[in-house]
Every structure is written in structure tokens, then in C-alpha cells.
Amino acid sequence: MRSKVCQATLLILVFLTPAVTSAAPGIPAFSVQSAAGGGQTYTLTLQVLALMTAITLLPAILLMMTAFTRIVIVLSILRQALGAGQTPPNQVLLGLALFLTFFVMSPVINRIDQVSYQPYAAGTIDAPTALSRAEVPLKEFMLHQTRENDIATFVHIAGGHGYQTPLDVPLSVLVPAFVTSELKTSFIIGFLLFIPFVIIDLVVASVLMSMGMMMVSPVLISLPFKLMLFVLVDGWTLVMGTLASSFYH
């Protein structure tokens, strides 16, 4: 039985060998052709490969180059300040952070679509030019949110001596400076959110101590008051609105 299988395999290889040897060298799907203006155009297979690679990098881009970092940290600190455990759950917080991020980044996305994607889809510019154009709105957004001393710190670490214009700062320097500024800003906002809830905890603990109810957990008593205060002042609308407006103040 095995000898018959081997013979059949050899026959298939013999019949396929002339077709393979007579084929043109190279795979057309992976070819790179020279454009009329001196640039290069890539076949559809290479474009799909580049798109799949970009999709794998999408979480890092979302975390490091958009408003997502500040929003999700502030919402997490708010949940901890309320003391409600895992309420709202992580899925709800991530959903709020994602949709608020898309809302905040919509002007940047629209501008990238106008100056980069639409000309590239129309075939008027090549892929490298489209990428260089797409960097400009994103850099302007990050520069508006990044502190100058954070940029100077990373420029010094990278061994640079400054740049002529802010847009000349490379992404390798701007992205870590932007993330550092976002962490600092999110912790400042979280601190301001924490203060009223800490005051409620202190008042409840003082009242329980004065009444001699030391065995009762202050968190158990203060939680309804914190929830009631947060609902009465329309806390979610205030927090979401403040977060959105903090990027374009």
C-alpha cells in the first residue's frame, strides 16, 4: 500500500515539475512597481499584509496616541473613589472610554481622512506620502496635550538638541512624552474627584466614632451617601463632559 502511495506521489511531482519550471520567476502578487511620478505602488497582497500588521498594532496605537489613556484612568479612579467594588464593571468602563475616545478624536480622524486617506484612495498620492500626511493631525493633537518639559526631558534622553518647529519632533520622542503628560493629567483629575468622597468617608467615620459604633464599617455607611451625592449632582454627565472638554480647552 505504501509503495503505491509513493508511486502516485512521484507521478504527481513529475507532472507538476514542468509547470513549475516553466512559470515566470517571482510572485506577481508580491511585486512592487514604479509609479509615473517616481514613487512606488504596491500590489493588493502587500496592502492587505500591511493592513493586517496595522491591526495588530491598533491596541498600542489606541493606548499611546489617543485620549484613551486619560479617560480610562480617570474612570477607574472614579470607581475606586465611589467604593462600589466592581460597579460599573470593566466592560462598561472600557465601552465608555472607547466611545468617548472616538468622540474626542473625531476631529483628528476626519482631518486624517481628508488630507491622507481620500487622496490615497483616489490614487493621487502614494502610501508613504499618505502616512506622512496622516502624522500631522495626530502630532498636532498630541503636542496640544503634552507639556513642554516632558518633551524636553525625552529630547535630552534621546540626545537631541531641539527642533526648529514642534511638528519636527519625531514620534519616538513625542509618544512617550505624550503618555507621560496624560498620566500626570489623569492623576490630577482623579485627585480632584477623590476629594469629595474622602470628605464623606471622614464625616461618616467621625460620626460613627462619636456614637461609639466602632465595630460598624464606615465604608458600608458612607457608600449610599456617596452614591446619592453622585447621582444628585449628575456626576456621570459632569465627569464625561469635563473629560471631553479637557482635550480642547
Side-chain angles (χ1 to χ4, degrees):
M1 183 66 182
R2 292 182 179 178
S3 61
K4 293 181 179 180
V5 173
C6 293
Q7 292 176 0
T9 305
L10 290 175
L11 288 175
I12 293 173
L13 291 176
V14 168
F15 283 114
L16 288 180
T17 300
V20 173
T21 55
S22 61
I27 303 177
F30 291 93
S31 63
V32 180
Q33 300 175 355
S34 298
Q40 291 179 340
T41 58
Y42 303 91
T43 56
L44 181 61
T45 307
L46 285 180
Q47 295 177 11
V48 172
L49 181 63
L51 178 62
M52 296 302 294
T53 305
I55 291 176
T56 59
L57 297 176
L58 185 61
I61 296 173
L62 181 66
L63 287 174
M64 299 301 165
M65 303 176 70
T66 64
F68 183 80
T69 302
R70 182 189 304 184
I71 295 171
V72 74
I73 290 177
V74 170
L75 293 179
S76 300
I77 293 176
L78 175 62
R79 182 176 65 178
Q80 187 176 357
L82 285 172
Q86 293 297 317
T87 304
N90 292 330
Q91 292 83 354
V92 175
L93 288 185
L94 289 176
L96 285 173
L98 282 173
F99 279 102
L100 190 57
T101 300
F102 290 140
F103 174 77
V104 172
M105 299 297 296
S106 58
V108 180
I109 296 174
N110 292 334
R111 189 175 173 191
I112 291 175
D113 179 70
Q114 293 175 1
V115 303
S116 177
Y117 177 73
Q118 293 296 337
Y120 175 72
T124 57
I125 59 175
D126 54 3
T129 305
L131 289 176
S132 62
R133 288 188 179 183
E135 285 183 3
V136 176
L138 200 57
K139 278 186 175 182
E140 290 179 348
F141 171 79
M142 289 191 290
L143 286 169
H144 185 69
Q145 309 300 326
T146 308
R147 295 173 175 84
E148 293 183 1
N149 56 349
D150 293 332
I151 297 178
T153 299
F154 284 95
V155 169
H156 176 71
I157 294 173
H161 301 285
Y163 301 93
Q164 294 182 355
T165 62
L167 291 177
D168 292 335
V169 179
L171 290 177
S172 59
V173 174
L174 182 57
V175 171
F178 170 73
V179 175
T180 303
S181 294
E182 287 295 284
L183 290 174
K184 188 182 300 183
T185 304
S186 60
F187 274 76
I188 292 174
I189 299 175
F191 170 76
L192 296 176
L193 287 175
F194 234 107
I195 291 177
F197 299 110
V198 171
I199 293 175
I200 294 177
D201 288 333
L202 290 175
V203 171
V204 171
S206 300
V207 172
L208 292 177
M209 288 289 291
S210 63
M211 296 176 62
M213 302 174 64
M214 293 178 291
M215 299 301 295
V216 180
S217 174
V219 178
L220 183 63
I221 305 300
S222 63
L223 178 58
F225 291 99
K226 290 190 288 187
L227 293 178
M228 181 182 64
L229 174 65
F230 194 68
V231 171
L232 289 177
V233 300
D234 201 5
W236 286 112
T237 303
L238 288 175
V239 171
M240 302 294 281
T242 303
L243 277 175
S245 61
S246 65
F247 291 95
Y248 296 103
H249 58 274

